[in-house]
Amino acid sequence: MVNAEYPHWQTVPLRWKDNDVYGHVNNVVHYSVMDTVINTWLIERGGLDIETGEVIGLCVESQCKYHASVSFPGELEVGLRVGHLGRSSVRYEVGMYSKETVIAEGHFVHVFVDRESRRPVPVEGLLRSALEELRTGLG
């Protein structure tokens, strides 16, 4: 699924263990999917080195609104955009879809910090350029 609301899309397969006792994907999985899509994009496109880089992103806020249920087997089509890019922080907006149905929408805020001091640092260079690519006027 591709639409103009989200500049980046990633398919995330659902796993057997994602289902809960009620027969649908448990709410905590949606947060994990957001985290996975964001960090995959940051590593692949933003040059983020999660193991040895001087700068890391810390989640300081997240939210998810649920619209419909989904269950294994299946997959989620996940759209990603940047709603706000500040000096040291970014707010990602995420849409999770299954067969054209909105399953959930959420946001996730990273503050980029120095790995050692944990003090905020400016988002610069390749990382800033990559995040600019995801920024839309919709946020």
Side-chain angles (χ1 to χ4, degrees):
M1 162 174 227
V2 176
N3 68 39
E5 288 186 50
Y6 299 98
H8 175 74
W9 287 90
Q10 182 176 328
T11 301
V12 177
L14 297 172
R15 304 161 304 171
W16 170 252
K17 72 178 192 171
D18 294 336
N19 282 359
D20 62 18
V21 297
Y22 301 112
H24 61 78
V25 169
N26 189 272
N27 59 341
V28 72
V29 174
H30 297 82
Y31 284 94
S32 179
V33 166
M34 284 193 289
D35 198 19
T36 297
V37 169
I38 290 165
N39 282 290
T40 298
W41 190 88
L42 287 171
I43 292 164
E44 292 177 354
R45 300 288 301 277
L48 189 67
D49 180 350
I50 60 170
E51 294 177 13
T52 62
E54 292 179 17
V55 173
I56 59 174
L58 299 180
C59 178
V60 298
E61 179 180 310
S62 62
Q63 178 197 26
C64 191
K65 294 180 183 178
Y66 305 97
H67 301 287
S69 67
V70 65
S71 60
F72 174 88
E75 59 189 20
L76 291 173
E77 295 296 329
V78 184
L80 176 63
R81 67 182 175 218
V82 166
H84 176 76
L85 179 57
R87 186 180 89 61
S88 61
S89 66
V90 61
R91 176 188 162 110
Y92 308 95
E93 297 171 351
V94 181
M96 292 170 253
Y97 295 78
S98 178
K99 299 177 183 159
E100 307 292 323
T101 299
V102 179
I103 302 301
E105 297 173 293
H107 74 261
F108 196 97
V109 178
H110 264 154
V111 172
F112 290 93
V113 300
D114 176 84
R115 179 184 294 275
E116 297 301 318
S117 72
R118 295 297 204 253
R119 300 296 305 154
V121 298
V123 178
E124 300 175 325
L126 176 60
L127 181 56
R128 178 162 285 278
S129 297
L131 290 169
E132 289 282 359
E133 291 177 21
L134 288 180
R135 189 158 49 174
T136 68
L138 300 174

